[in-house]
Amino acid sequence: VIKDIARQTRTEIECPVKGGKPEFVISGTSMCVEAAAACIEAKVFQASGKMTWQMESWFAHETIEIYVPPDRVGFVVGNMGQVISSIAAQTSTIIISPKKGHEPVFVVS
Protein backbone atom coordinates (compact mmCIF):
# COMPACT_ATOMS: atom_id res chain seq x y z
CA VAL A 1 0.00 0.00 0.00
CA ILE A 2 2.75 2.46 0.94
CA LYS A 3 4.65 1.68 -2.27
CA ASP A 4 1.49 2.44 -4.25
CA ILE A 5 0.98 5.73 -2.40
CA ALA A 6 4.62 6.69 -3.05
CA ARG A 7 4.25 5.86 -6.75
CA GLN A 8 0.94 7.70 -7.13
CA THR A 9 2.14 10.81 -5.28
CA ARG A 10 5.69 10.82 -6.71
CA THR A 11 7.28 10.74 -3.27
CA GLU A 12 9.70 8.59 -1.33
CA ILE A 13 8.24 7.15 1.85
CA GLU A 14 10.26 5.55 4.63
CA CYS A 15 8.13 3.25 6.77
CA PRO A 16 8.46 3.02 10.54
CA VAL A 17 10.46 0.13 11.95
CA LYS A 18 8.40 -2.44 13.83
CA GLY A 19 8.57 -1.59 17.53
CA GLY A 20 9.89 1.91 16.76
CA LYS A 21 8.18 5.28 16.57
CA PRO A 22 5.08 5.04 14.35
CA GLU A 23 6.16 7.82 11.98
CA PHE A 24 6.54 7.86 8.22
CA VAL A 25 9.21 10.03 6.58
CA ILE A 26 7.93 11.45 3.29
CA SER A 27 10.23 13.21 0.80
CA GLY A 28 9.25 15.12 -2.32
CA THR A 29 7.74 18.44 -3.34
CA SER A 30 5.52 20.02 -0.70
CA MET A 31 2.34 19.36 -2.69
CA CYS A 32 3.29 15.71 -3.25
CA VAL A 33 4.25 15.24 0.41
CA GLU A 34 0.86 16.66 1.47
CA ALA A 35 -0.91 14.30 -0.93
CA ALA A 36 1.04 11.28 0.37
CA ALA A 37 0.33 12.25 3.97
CA ALA A 38 -3.37 12.59 3.15
CA CYS A 39 -3.39 9.15 1.52
CA ILE A 40 -1.70 7.57 4.54
CA GLU A 41 -4.15 9.32 6.88
CA ALA A 42 -7.05 8.04 4.76
CA LYS A 43 -5.69 4.47 4.95
CA VAL A 44 -5.39 4.82 8.74
CA PHE A 45 -9.01 6.00 8.84
CA GLN A 46 -10.14 3.12 6.63
CA ALA A 47 -8.33 0.60 8.82
CA SER A 48 -9.43 1.97 12.18
CA GLY A 49 -12.62 3.89 11.49
CA LYS A 50 -11.15 6.69 13.63
CA MET A 51 -9.97 10.07 12.46
CA THR A 52 -6.56 11.37 13.46
CA TRP A 53 -6.21 14.95 14.72
CA GLN A 54 -4.99 16.06 11.30
CA MET A 55 -7.99 14.50 9.57
CA GLU A 56 -10.32 16.25 12.01
CA SER A 57 -8.84 19.60 10.96
CA TRP A 58 -9.33 18.69 7.28
CA PHE A 59 -12.91 17.72 7.96
CA ALA A 60 -13.49 21.04 9.72
CA HIS A 61 -13.87 22.33 6.17
CA GLU A 62 -16.82 21.23 4.11
CA THR A 63 -17.35 17.47 3.96
CA ILE A 64 -19.90 15.57 1.96
CA GLU A 65 -20.80 11.91 1.63
CA ILE A 66 -21.56 10.49 -1.78
CA TYR A 67 -23.49 7.24 -2.09
CA VAL A 68 -22.45 5.11 -5.06
CA PRO A 69 -24.44 2.03 -6.08
CA PRO A 70 -22.49 -1.05 -4.95
CA ASP A 71 -22.09 -2.33 -8.52
CA ARG A 72 -20.46 1.00 -9.54
CA VAL A 73 -17.88 1.42 -6.73
CA GLY A 74 -15.20 -0.36 -8.77
CA PHE A 75 -15.67 2.06 -11.66
CA VAL A 76 -15.29 5.05 -9.34
CA VAL A 77 -12.20 3.66 -7.60
CA GLY A 78 -10.56 2.32 -10.77
CA ASN A 79 -7.70 -0.11 -11.19
CA MET A 80 -5.41 0.23 -8.13
CA GLY A 81 -7.28 3.40 -7.10
CA GLN A 82 -6.19 5.36 -10.16
CA VAL A 83 -9.58 6.93 -10.97
CA ILE A 84 -10.39 8.07 -7.44
CA SER A 85 -6.81 9.35 -6.95
CA SER A 86 -7.08 11.32 -10.18
CA ILE A 87 -10.44 12.80 -9.12
CA ALA A 88 -8.98 13.83 -5.75
CA ALA A 89 -5.92 15.41 -7.39
CA GLN A 90 -7.94 17.29 -10.01
CA THR A 91 -10.40 18.65 -7.43
CA SER A 92 -7.89 19.27 -4.61
CA THR A 93 -9.95 17.15 -2.25
CA ILE A 94 -9.38 14.27 0.10
CA ILE A 95 -11.55 11.29 -0.80
CA ILE A 96 -11.96 8.33 1.50
CA SER A 97 -13.21 5.25 -0.29
CA PRO A 98 -15.51 2.78 1.47
CA LYS A 99 -14.13 -0.51 2.74
CA LYS A 100 -15.20 -3.65 0.91
CA GLY A 101 -18.36 -5.03 2.46
CA HIS A 102 -19.33 -1.70 4.04
CA GLU A 103 -21.89 0.86 2.91
CA PRO A 104 -20.73 2.27 -0.47
CA VAL A 105 -20.32 5.88 0.67
CA PHE A 106 -17.34 8.02 -0.32
CA VAL A 107 -16.36 10.83 2.05
CA VAL A 108 -15.13 13.94 0.21
CA SER A 109 -13.51 16.89 1.91
Side-chain angles (χ1 to χ4, degrees):
V1 172
I2 295 299
K3 286 181 183 179
D4 289 337
I5 292 172
R7 182 180 47 75
Q8 291 171 354
T9 59
R10 298 178 185 183
T11 57
E12 290 183 21
I13 303 173
E14 292 179 37
C15 296
V17 178
K18 197 170 192 172
K21 243 183 171 180
E23 295 179 348
F24 290 90
V25 177
I26 306 170
S27 304
T29 65
S30 61
M31 187 170 86
C32 292
V33 167
E34 287 179 31
C39 289
I40 292 170
E41 292 282 339
K43 290 296 180 183
V44 169
F45 175 72
Q46 279 183 322
S48 67
K50 296 179 183 176
M51 287 190 215
T52 64
W53 67 270
Q54 190 172 6
M55 289 183 80
E56 288 175 0
S57 69
W58 294 332
F59 286 105
H61 304 291
E62 187 171 345
T63 301
I64 61 171
E65 293 184 353
I66 301 174
Y67 173 82
V68 175
D71 64 330
R72 298 290 179 217
V73 170
F75 293 109
V76 174
V77 173
N79 186 25
M80 302 207 38
Q82 290 178 328
V83 173
I84 199 72
S85 295
S86 175
I87 293 169
Q90 291 174 19
T91 59
S92 299
T93 57
I94 297 168
I95 303 175
I96 299 174
S97 302
K99 284 185 180 179
K100 281 188 178 179
H102 286 78
E103 187 175 7
V105 175
F106 289 79
V107 178
V108 182
S109 180

